[in-house]
Amino acid sequence: MDSKTIKWSTLAFMAFSTVWGFGNVLNGFVYFNGIQVMFSWVLMFALYFVPYALMVGELGSAFKTSGGGVSSWIHSTTTSKLAYYAGWTYWACHITYIASKSSGGLKALSWAVFRNGETYDSFPTLGVQMVTFIILLFFCWVASRGLNPLKKLATLAGTSMFVMSILYILMMFAAPAINPNGGFVNMTFNAKTLVPSFDIKYFTSLSIIVFAVGGCEKISPYVNKVENPSKGFPKAMITLAIMVVICAMLGTIAMGMMFDPNEINASKEAFNSYNSNGSYWAFQKLGNYYHIGDTLLIIYALCNVVGQLSTLVISIDAPLRMLLDNEDSREYIPTALLKKNDAGAYVNGIKMVAVLSGAIILIQSFVPGAAAVLKQLTKLNSVCMPMRYLWVFFAYMALRKAEDKFKPEYRFVKNHNVAMFFGGWCFLVTAASCILGMYDADPFTFALNVITPCVLCALGIILPMIAKKEKEKKATQAA
């Protein structure tokens, strides 16, 4: 047996730690009326996540030498211009993500120090956003110096957060036996409590679920390293889906034992507070059930500080390099953005990140309350981040259209029409979730959700125009 091959079970665990996180459980619980989210999890896994993961497997198998980048899949199946747009979308999505990591890191630090959510939420929003902006500028400077000392810490923090998520479920289910008088919430499992109301709030929140289950394209480079890919990869992905759905279900039930959805939905302020503080309250309550005070809370908060800030550096640096290092996309990018400093960092690209992410942070200075800021960023991320998944499904349909040209070792489905249906279905679900997710009862949040992706898309269209004019100018001067 080839020593470089990996078992399907190993791949399933690798993918699980990449896709799933504790925040997904909380967001689902808060946005979908407690345990009612379980219905949506099952639906989304069956109709979206499983075909998505298996399509990624086929793309990874077809382009085994391309390193698994979505833009390289687009370039191989369509044109270099579309490949540029795919790379741009991947980078642009991280602008909102970077803004949320700055805010999330500060929030986690506040919990580690003050051990409550009220202190942070009581600070003036303007002051909090100014500190958040300074944190962004500092980490942009770190990235510009080619210093990425936090990359290993990011892996460590990611692993520890994953362990904490599993630990939360296990400890919460054992808690009633350890502390029977802990004041747990009684849950009733019937059609009324489990089947959601399919109203405007439900459909405009679906982007939260789509955002939660996306990102498995990161494991596509490993498709051909699995033993017997045609059988091993789908087995790994189906196992991944089962593990994720079990964690989503058990995590939701564990949270349902702690929090009453009526309290979450009592007011806009209560909703914002749970969205902002819920994960910390969960570990604080868990520590109280076990009579160990705030120990678990502090461990979780510190892991989150390291995780958020290390991810911030990587998110400033890595997506930018993926866009600007790509030789096929460079002809559409103005030369000023390709400028590197002595540390090998794309300085003007990093400045653009600072301006765009900084603008989101500074605009939110006018939002009343720090908790409302984090709620806005959660929704904004759920609108922007899934936009990059659209290119995965576009690449898959382009691959199947040219299936005589490419011979992947693994295929999701053999039938061409079935394959095209699933590609189109997942594309439509993603696009609809992003568009519907833009709506919000708060006019400021609604405007932010619409304007941000529009500005980023417009910038992506303008840059190739600038690059074209530069070339024409050089050609005229040369003549």
Side-chain angles (χ1 to χ4, degrees), residues 394-422:
F394 180 82
Y396 181 73
M397 288 187 284
L399 169 68
R400 291 308 294 245
K401 253 189 169 179
E403 55 190 16
D404 294 334
K405 184 181 173 184
F406 305 101
K407 303 292 180 186
E409 192 176 341
Y410 159 71
R411 282 222 159 149
F412 162 37
V413 285
K414 289 181 181 177
N415 186 283
H416 174 82
N417 292 331
V418 174
M420 293 299 283
F421 167 77
F422 275 111

PDB file of all heavy atoms in Angstrom, residues 394-422:
ATOM      1  N   PHE A 394     -20.614  26.559 -10.274  1.00  0.00           N
ATOM      2  CA  PHE A 394     -20.414  26.976 -11.660  1.00  0.00           C
ATOM      3  C   PHE A 394     -19.305  26.125 -12.298  1.00  0.00           C
ATOM      4  O   PHE A 394     -19.442  25.657 -13.430  1.00  0.00           O
ATOM      5  CB  PHE A 394     -20.050  28.463 -11.709  1.00  0.00           C
ATOM      6  CG  PHE A 394     -19.818  28.990 -13.093  1.00  0.00           C
ATOM      7  CD1 PHE A 394     -20.891  29.359 -13.901  1.00  0.00           C
ATOM      8  CD2 PHE A 394     -18.536  29.120 -13.601  1.00  0.00           C
ATOM      9  CE1 PHE A 394     -20.685  29.844 -15.184  1.00  0.00           C
ATOM     10  CE2 PHE A 394     -18.327  29.603 -14.882  1.00  0.00           C
ATOM     11  CZ  PHE A 394     -19.398  29.971 -15.677  1.00  0.00           C
ATOM     12  N   ALA A 395     -18.207  25.936 -11.549  1.00  0.00           N
ATOM     13  CA  ALA A 395     -17.086  25.118 -12.044  1.00  0.00           C
ATOM     14  C   ALA A 395     -17.523  23.675 -12.269  1.00  0.00           C
ATOM     15  O   ALA A 395     -17.107  23.034 -13.247  1.00  0.00           O
ATOM     16  CB  ALA A 395     -15.930  25.164 -11.041  1.00  0.00           C
ATOM     17  N   TYR A 396     -18.378  23.169 -11.383  1.00  0.00           N
ATOM     18  CA  TYR A 396     -18.843  21.788 -11.518  1.00  0.00           C
ATOM     19  C   TYR A 396     -19.679  21.617 -12.785  1.00  0.00           C
ATOM     20  O   TYR A 396     -19.502  20.651 -13.537  1.00  0.00           O
ATOM     21  CB  TYR A 396     -19.660  21.359 -10.293  1.00  0.00           C
ATOM     22  CG  TYR A 396     -20.123  19.926 -10.388  1.00  0.00           C
ATOM     23  CD1 TYR A 396     -19.219  18.879 -10.223  1.00  0.00           C
ATOM     24  CD2 TYR A 396     -21.445  19.611 -10.695  1.00  0.00           C
ATOM     25  CE1 TYR A 396     -19.618  17.561 -10.342  1.00  0.00           C
ATOM     26  CE2 TYR A 396     -21.857  18.294 -10.809  1.00  0.00           C
ATOM     27  CZ  TYR A 396     -20.934  17.275 -10.633  1.00  0.00           C
ATOM     28  OH  TYR A 396     -21.323  15.965 -10.768  1.00  0.00           O
ATOM     29  N   MET A 397     -20.582  22.571 -13.035  1.00  0.00           N
ATOM     30  CA  MET A 397     -21.412  22.479 -14.241  1.00  0.00           C
ATOM     31  C   MET A 397     -20.560  22.619 -15.504  1.00  0.00           C
ATOM     32  O   MET A 397     -20.799  21.930 -16.504  1.00  0.00           O
ATOM     33  CB  MET A 397     -22.518  23.545 -14.200  1.00  0.00           C
ATOM     34  CG  MET A 397     -23.609  23.237 -13.182  1.00  0.00           C
ATOM     35  SD  MET A 397     -25.031  24.372 -13.261  1.00  0.00           S
ATOM     36  CE  MET A 397     -24.361  25.826 -12.472  1.00  0.00           C
ATOM     37  N   ALA A 398     -19.530  23.484 -15.443  1.00  0.00           N
ATOM     38  CA  ALA A 398     -18.617  23.639 -16.580  1.00  0.00           C
ATOM     39  C   ALA A 398     -17.813  22.352 -16.813  1.00  0.00           C
ATOM     40  O   ALA A 398     -17.574  21.957 -17.963  1.00  0.00           O
ATOM     41  CB  ALA A 398     -17.671  24.807 -16.328  1.00  0.00           C
ATOM     42  N   LEU A 399     -17.425  21.692 -15.719  1.00  0.00           N
ATOM     43  CA  LEU A 399     -16.698  20.415 -15.816  1.00  0.00           C
ATOM     44  C   LEU A 399     -17.564  19.356 -16.490  1.00  0.00           C
ATOM     45  O   LEU A 399     -17.107  18.637 -17.397  1.00  0.00           O
ATOM     46  CB  LEU A 399     -16.277  19.962 -14.413  1.00  0.00           C
ATOM     47  CG  LEU A 399     -15.747  18.527 -14.276  1.00  0.00           C
ATOM     48  CD1 LEU A 399     -14.397  18.385 -14.975  1.00  0.00           C
ATOM     49  CD2 LEU A 399     -15.615  18.131 -12.801  1.00  0.00           C
ATOM     50  N   ARG A 400     -18.821  19.246 -16.070  1.00  0.00           N
ATOM     51  CA  ARG A 400     -19.712  18.220 -16.636  1.00  0.00           C
ATOM     52  C   ARG A 400     -20.098  18.528 -18.080  1.00  0.00           C
ATOM     53  O   ARG A 400     -20.357  17.628 -18.866  1.00  0.00           O
ATOM     54  CB  ARG A 400     -20.958  18.069 -15.771  1.00  0.00           C
ATOM     55  CG  ARG A 400     -20.700  17.460 -14.399  1.00  0.00           C
ATOM     56  CD  ARG A 400     -19.919  16.156 -14.420  1.00  0.00           C
ATOM     57  NE  ARG A 400     -20.606  15.061 -15.024  1.00  0.00           N
ATOM     58  CZ  ARG A 400     -21.014  13.945 -14.399  1.00  0.00           C
ATOM     59  NH1 ARG A 400     -20.761  13.793 -13.113  1.00  0.00           N
ATOM     60  NH2 ARG A 400     -21.623  12.993 -15.051  1.00  0.00           N
ATOM     61  N   LYS A 401     -20.092  19.817 -18.437  1.00  0.00           N
ATOM     62  CA  LYS A 401     -20.371  20.190 -19.826  1.00  0.00           C
ATOM     63  C   LYS A 401     -19.247  19.713 -20.742  1.00  0.00           C
ATOM     64  O   LYS A 401     -19.477  19.369 -21.901  1.00  0.00           O
ATOM     65  CB  LYS A 401     -20.525  21.716 -19.934  1.00  0.00           C
ATOM     66  CG  LYS A 401     -21.959  22.170 -20.144  1.00  0.00           C
ATOM     67  CD  LYS A 401     -22.013  23.642 -20.464  1.00  0.00           C
ATOM     68  CE  LYS A 401     -23.425  24.002 -20.943  1.00  0.00           C
ATOM     69  NZ  LYS A 401     -23.561  25.431 -21.248  1.00  0.00           N
ATOM     70  N   ALA A 402     -18.023  19.723 -20.196  1.00  0.00           N
ATOM     71  CA  ALA A 402     -16.852  19.294 -20.975  1.00  0.00           C
ATOM     72  C   ALA A 402     -16.339  17.948 -20.461  1.00  0.00           C
ATOM     73  O   ALA A 402     -15.139  17.718 -20.369  1.00  0.00           O
ATOM     74  CB  ALA A 402     -15.765  20.356 -20.876  1.00  0.00           C
ATOM     75  N   GLU A 403     -17.262  17.038 -20.112  1.00  0.00           N
ATOM     76  CA  GLU A 403     -16.847  15.791 -19.454  1.00  0.00           C
ATOM     77  C   GLU A 403     -16.035  14.859 -20.348  1.00  0.00           C
ATOM     78  O   GLU A 403     -15.319  13.986 -19.854  1.00  0.00           O
ATOM     79  CB  GLU A 403     -18.057  15.059 -18.864  1.00  0.00           C
ATOM     80  CG  GLU A 403     -19.172  14.753 -19.813  1.00  0.00           C
ATOM     81  CD  GLU A 403     -20.429  14.252 -19.111  1.00  0.00           C
ATOM     82  OE1 GLU A 403     -20.552  14.416 -17.878  1.00  0.00           O
ATOM     83  OE2 GLU A 403     -21.275  13.695 -19.799  1.00  0.00           O
ATOM     84  N   ASP A 404     -16.114  15.046 -21.678  1.00  0.00           N
ATOM     85  CA  ASP A 404     -15.291  14.220 -22.578  1.00  0.00           C
ATOM     86  C   ASP A 404     -13.826  14.625 -22.502  1.00  0.00           C
ATOM     87  O   ASP A 404     -12.935  13.820 -22.789  1.00  0.00           O
ATOM     88  CB  ASP A 404     -15.785  14.359 -24.026  1.00  0.00           C
ATOM     89  CG  ASP A 404     -17.187  13.776 -24.197  1.00  0.00           C
ATOM     90  OD1 ASP A 404     -17.540  12.872 -23.406  1.00  0.00           O
ATOM     91  OD2 ASP A 404     -17.914  14.240 -25.096  1.00  0.00           O
ATOM     92  N   LYS A 405     -13.574  15.875 -22.137  1.00  0.00           N
ATOM     93  CA  LYS A 405     -12.210  16.412 -22.068  1.00  0.00           C
ATOM     94  C   LYS A 405     -11.503  16.008 -20.772  1.00  0.00           C
ATOM     95  O   LYS A 405     -10.306  15.767 -20.750  1.00  0.00           O
ATOM     96  CB  LYS A 405     -12.277  17.946 -22.172  1.00  0.00           C
ATOM     97  CG  LYS A 405     -10.936  18.633 -22.212  1.00  0.00           C
ATOM     98  CD  LYS A 405     -11.144  20.146 -22.295  1.00  0.00           C
ATOM     99  CE  LYS A 405      -9.817  20.891 -22.158  1.00  0.00           C
ATOM    100  NZ  LYS A 405     -10.022  22.351 -22.137  1.00  0.00           N
ATOM    101  N   PHE A 406     -12.261  15.940 -19.676  1.00  0.00           N
ATOM    102  CA  PHE A 406     -11.686  15.633 -18.365  1.00  0.00           C
ATOM    103  C   PHE A 406     -12.108  14.243 -17.900  1.00  0.00           C
ATOM    104  O   PHE A 406     -13.246  13.841 -18.085  1.00  0.00           O
ATOM    105  CB  PHE A 406     -12.111  16.679 -17.326  1.00  0.00           C
ATOM    106  CG  PHE A 406     -11.783  18.084 -17.718  1.00  0.00           C
ATOM    107  CD1 PHE A 406     -12.765  18.929 -18.233  1.00  0.00           C
ATOM    108  CD2 PHE A 406     -10.494  18.573 -17.585  1.00  0.00           C
ATOM    109  CE1 PHE A 406     -12.470  20.228 -18.605  1.00  0.00           C
ATOM    110  CE2 PHE A 406     -10.189  19.874 -17.963  1.00  0.00           C
ATOM    111  CZ  PHE A 406     -11.174  20.704 -18.477  1.00  0.00           C
ATOM    112  N   LYS A 407     -11.177  13.529 -17.317  1.00  0.00           N
ATOM    113  CA  LYS A 407     -11.455  12.160 -16.869  1.00  0.00           C
ATOM    114  C   LYS A 407     -11.149  12.009 -15.370  1.00  0.00           C
ATOM    115  O   LYS A 407     -10.111  11.479 -14.981  1.00  0.00           O
ATOM    116  CB  LYS A 407     -10.599  11.151 -17.660  1.00  0.00           C
ATOM    117  CG  LYS A 407     -10.796  11.216 -19.181  1.00  0.00           C
ATOM    118  CD  LYS A 407     -12.175  10.738 -19.595  1.00  0.00           C
ATOM    119  CE  LYS A 407     -12.348  10.818 -21.114  1.00  0.00           C
ATOM    120  NZ  LYS A 407     -13.718  10.503 -21.539  1.00  0.00           N
ATOM    121  N   PRO A 408     -12.026  12.538 -14.503  1.00  0.00           N
ATOM    122  CA  PRO A 408     -11.771  12.397 -13.059  1.00  0.00           C
ATOM    123  C   PRO A 408     -11.860  10.940 -12.616  1.00  0.00           C
ATOM    124  O   PRO A 408     -12.671  10.173 -13.148  1.00  0.00           O
ATOM    125  CB  PRO A 408     -12.883  13.227 -12.417  1.00  0.00           C
ATOM    126  CG  PRO A 408     -13.959  13.310 -13.445  1.00  0.00           C
ATOM    127  CD  PRO A 408     -13.282  13.244 -14.769  1.00  0.00           C
ATOM    128  N   GLU A 409     -11.004  10.591 -11.669  1.00  0.00           N
ATOM    129  CA  GLU A 409     -10.994   9.217 -11.150  1.00  0.00           C
ATOM    130  C   GLU A 409     -12.269   8.936 -10.349  1.00  0.00           C
ATOM    131  O   GLU A 409     -12.752   7.822 -10.295  1.00  0.00           O
ATOM    132  CB  GLU A 409      -9.760   9.026 -10.266  1.00  0.00           C
ATOM    133  CG  GLU A 409      -9.488   7.579  -9.909  1.00  0.00           C
ATOM    134  CD  GLU A 409      -8.200   7.421  -9.107  1.00  0.00           C
ATOM    135  OE1 GLU A 409      -7.349   8.328  -9.126  1.00  0.00           O
ATOM    136  OE2 GLU A 409      -8.073   6.379  -8.446  1.00  0.00           O
ATOM    137  N   TYR A 410     -12.798  10.002  -9.743  1.00  0.00           N
ATOM    138  CA  TYR A 410     -14.024   9.862  -8.944  1.00  0.00           C
ATOM    139  C   TYR A 410     -15.134  10.700  -9.555  1.00  0.00           C
ATOM    140  O   TYR A 410     -14.910  11.837  -9.977  1.00  0.00           O
ATOM    141  CB  TYR A 410     -13.774  10.317  -7.494  1.00  0.00           C
ATOM    142  CG  TYR A 410     -15.048  10.673  -6.770  1.00  0.00           C
ATOM    143  CD1 TYR A 410     -15.948   9.674  -6.395  1.00  0.00           C
ATOM    144  CD2 TYR A 410     -15.392  12.002  -6.526  1.00  0.00           C
ATOM    145  CE1 TYR A 410     -17.149   9.997  -5.781  1.00  0.00           C
ATOM    146  CE2 TYR A 410     -16.583  12.331  -5.907  1.00  0.00           C
ATOM    147  CZ  TYR A 410     -17.461  11.328  -5.541  1.00  0.00           C
ATOM    148  OH  TYR A 410     -18.648  11.646  -4.948  1.00  0.00           O
ATOM    149  N   ARG A 411     -16.337  10.147  -9.619  1.00  0.00           N
ATOM    150  CA  ARG A 411     -17.491  10.895 -10.127  1.00  0.00           C
ATOM    151  C   ARG A 411     -18.619  10.866  -9.105  1.00  0.00           C
ATOM    152  O   ARG A 411     -18.912   9.815  -8.542  1.00  0.00           O
ATOM    153  CB  ARG A 411     -17.975  10.293 -11.440  1.00  0.00           C
ATOM    154  CG  ARG A 411     -17.083  10.700 -12.609  1.00  0.00           C
ATOM    155  CD  ARG A 411     -17.915  11.040 -13.813  1.00  0.00           C
ATOM    156  NE  ARG A 411     -17.141  11.875 -14.724  1.00  0.00           N
ATOM    157  CZ  ARG A 411     -17.304  11.854 -16.028  1.00  0.00           C
ATOM    158  NH1 ARG A 411     -18.204  11.067 -16.564  1.00  0.00           N
ATOM    159  NH2 ARG A 411     -16.599  12.654 -16.800  1.00  0.00           N
ATOM    160  N   PHE A 412     -19.241  12.040  -8.878  1.00  0.00           N
ATOM    161  CA  PHE A 412     -20.368  12.169  -7.957  1.00  0.00           C
ATOM    162  C   PHE A 412     -21.535  11.314  -8.453  1.00  0.00           C
ATOM    163  O   PHE A 412     -22.044  10.450  -7.740  1.00  0.00           O
ATOM    164  CB  PHE A 412     -20.724  13.663  -7.853  1.00  0.00           C
ATOM    165  CG  PHE A 412     -22.089  13.972  -7.305  1.00  0.00           C
ATOM    166  CD1 PHE A 412     -22.647  13.214  -6.283  1.00  0.00           C
ATOM    167  CD2 PHE A 412     -22.814  15.048  -7.799  1.00  0.00           C
ATOM    168  CE1 PHE A 412     -23.910  13.513  -5.771  1.00  0.00           C
ATOM    169  CE2 PHE A 412     -24.064  15.356  -7.298  1.00  0.00           C
ATOM    170  CZ  PHE A 412     -24.614  14.576  -6.290  1.00  0.00           C
ATOM    171  N   VAL A 413     -21.973  11.559  -9.695  1.00  0.00           N
ATOM    172  CA  VAL A 413     -22.985  10.723 -10.351  1.00  0.00           C
ATOM    173  C   VAL A 413     -22.564  10.533 -11.810  1.00  0.00           C
ATOM    174  O   VAL A 413     -21.942  11.410 -12.395  1.00  0.00           O
ATOM    175  CB  VAL A 413     -24.407  11.340 -10.300  1.00  0.00           C
ATOM    176  CG1 VAL A 413     -25.027  11.225  -8.936  1.00  0.00           C
ATOM    177  CG2 VAL A 413     -24.412  12.787 -10.768  1.00  0.00           C
ATOM    178  N   LYS A 414     -22.909   9.406 -12.385  1.00  0.00           N
ATOM    179  CA  LYS A 414     -22.525   9.125 -13.774  1.00  0.00           C
ATOM    180  C   LYS A 414     -23.429   9.840 -14.769  1.00  0.00           C
ATOM    181  O   LYS A 414     -22.977  10.296 -15.811  1.00  0.00           O
ATOM    182  CB  LYS A 414     -22.550   7.611 -14.025  1.00  0.00           C
ATOM    183  CG  LYS A 414     -21.416   6.870 -13.310  1.00  0.00           C
ATOM    184  CD  LYS A 414     -21.463   5.389 -13.594  1.00  0.00           C
ATOM    185  CE  LYS A 414     -20.338   4.671 -12.841  1.00  0.00           C
ATOM    186  NZ  LYS A 414     -20.403   3.210 -13.042  1.00  0.00           N
ATOM    187  N   ASN A 415     -24.707   9.936 -14.453  1.00  0.00           N
ATOM    188  CA  ASN A 415     -25.668  10.526 -15.385  1.00  0.00           C
ATOM    189  C   ASN A 415     -25.438  12.037 -15.534  1.00  0.00           C
ATOM    190  O   ASN A 415     -25.434  12.771 -14.544  1.00  0.00           O
ATOM    191  CB  ASN A 415     -27.095  10.254 -14.897  1.00  0.00           C
ATOM    192  CG  ASN A 415     -28.140  10.714 -15.900  1.00  0.00           C
ATOM    193  OD1 ASN A 415     -28.421  11.893 -16.025  1.00  0.00           O
ATOM    194  ND2 ASN A 415     -28.710   9.752 -16.617  1.00  0.00           N
ATOM    195  N   HIS A 416     -25.278  12.494 -16.769  1.00  0.00           N
ATOM    196  CA  HIS A 416     -24.972  13.905 -17.058  1.00  0.00           C
ATOM    197  C   HIS A 416     -26.092  14.842 -16.590  1.00  0.00           C
ATOM    198  O   HIS A 416     -25.829  15.866 -15.942  1.00  0.00           O
ATOM    199  CB  HIS A 416     -24.743  14.070 -18.571  1.00  0.00           C
ATOM    200  CG  HIS A 416     -24.571  15.496 -18.984  1.00  0.00           C
ATOM    201  ND1 HIS A 416     -23.359  16.157 -18.871  1.00  0.00           N
ATOM    202  CD2 HIS A 416     -25.456  16.415 -19.493  1.00  0.00           C
ATOM    203  CE1 HIS A 416     -23.510  17.413 -19.294  1.00  0.00           C
ATOM    204  NE2 HIS A 416     -24.763  17.595 -19.678  1.00  0.00           N
ATOM    205  N   ASN A 417     -27.330  14.506 -16.895  1.00  0.00           N
ATOM    206  CA  ASN A 417     -28.465  15.371 -16.552  1.00  0.00           C
ATOM    207  C   ASN A 417     -28.665  15.498 -15.046  1.00  0.00           C
ATOM    208  O   ASN A 417     -28.979  16.577 -14.534  1.00  0.00           O
ATOM    209  CB  ASN A 417     -29.746  14.855 -17.209  1.00  0.00           C
ATOM    210  CG  ASN A 417     -29.713  14.990 -18.718  1.00  0.00           C
ATOM    211  OD1 ASN A 417     -29.055  15.892 -19.246  1.00  0.00           O
ATOM    212  ND2 ASN A 417     -30.386  14.097 -19.425  1.00  0.00           N
ATOM    213  N   VAL A 418     -28.471  14.380 -14.341  1.00  0.00           N
ATOM    214  CA  VAL A 418     -28.588  14.401 -12.869  1.00  0.00           C
ATOM    215  C   VAL A 418     -27.498  15.296 -12.281  1.00  0.00           C
ATOM    216  O   VAL A 418     -27.745  16.094 -11.369  1.00  0.00           O
ATOM    217  CB  VAL A 418     -28.515  12.971 -12.284  1.00  0.00           C
ATOM    218  CG1 VAL A 418     -28.475  13.014 -10.753  1.00  0.00           C
ATOM    219  CG2 VAL A 418     -29.686  12.127 -12.753  1.00  0.00           C
ATOM    220  N   ALA A 419     -26.281  15.171 -12.822  1.00  0.00           N
ATOM    221  CA  ALA A 419     -25.148  15.982 -12.354  1.00  0.00           C
ATOM    222  C   ALA A 419     -25.430  17.470 -12.569  1.00  0.00           C
ATOM    223  O   ALA A 419     -25.209  18.293 -11.671  1.00  0.00           O
ATOM    224  CB  ALA A 419     -23.874  15.580 -13.090  1.00  0.00           C
ATOM    225  N   MET A 420     -25.937  17.825 -13.748  1.00  0.00           N
ATOM    226  CA  MET A 420     -26.234  19.223 -14.058  1.00  0.00           C
ATOM    227  C   MET A 420     -27.366  19.756 -13.173  1.00  0.00           C
ATOM    228  O   MET A 420     -27.347  20.913 -12.747  1.00  0.00           O
ATOM    229  CB  MET A 420     -26.613  19.372 -15.536  1.00  0.00           C
ATOM    230  CG  MET A 420     -25.461  19.096 -16.496  1.00  0.00           C
ATOM    231  SD  MET A 420     -24.049  20.206 -16.298  1.00  0.00           S
ATOM    232  CE  MET A 420     -24.649  21.684 -17.089  1.00  0.00           C
ATOM    233  N   PHE A 421     -28.341  18.888 -12.872  1.00  0.00           N
ATOM    234  CA  PHE A 421     -29.441  19.293 -11.995  1.00  0.00           C
ATOM    235  C   PHE A 421     -28.918  19.669 -10.609  1.00  0.00           C
ATOM    236  O   PHE A 421     -29.272  20.719 -10.064  1.00  0.00           O
ATOM    237  CB  PHE A 421     -30.479  18.176 -11.865  1.00  0.00           C
ATOM    238  CG  PHE A 421     -31.469  18.405 -10.744  1.00  0.00           C
ATOM    239  CD1 PHE A 421     -32.522  19.305 -10.896  1.00  0.00           C
ATOM    240  CD2 PHE A 421     -31.322  17.767  -9.516  1.00  0.00           C
ATOM    241  CE1 PHE A 421     -33.410  19.547  -9.851  1.00  0.00           C
ATOM    242  CE2 PHE A 421     -32.200  17.999  -8.464  1.00  0.00           C
ATOM    243  CZ  PHE A 421     -33.245  18.895  -8.643  1.00  0.00           C
ATOM    244  N   PHE A 422     -28.065  18.805 -10.037  1.00  0.00           N
ATOM    245  CA  PHE A 422     -27.547  19.076  -8.686  1.00  0.00           C
ATOM    246  C   PHE A 422     -26.663  20.319  -8.667  1.00  0.00           C
ATOM    247  O   PHE A 422     -26.712  21.112  -7.723  1.00  0.00           O
ATOM    248  CB  PHE A 422     -26.783  17.860  -8.148  1.00  0.00           C
ATOM    249  CG  PHE A 422     -27.674  16.847  -7.500  1.00  0.00           C
ATOM    250  CD1 PHE A 422     -27.893  15.608  -8.094  1.00  0.00           C
ATOM    251  CD2 PHE A 422     -28.318  17.122  -6.305  1.00  0.00           C
ATOM    252  CE1 PHE A 422     -28.729  14.668  -7.495  1.00  0.00           C
ATOM    253  CE2 PHE A 422     -29.149  16.192  -5.698  1.00  0.00           C
ATOM    254  CZ  PHE A 422     -29.360  14.964  -6.298  1.00  0.00           C
TER     255      PHE A 422
END
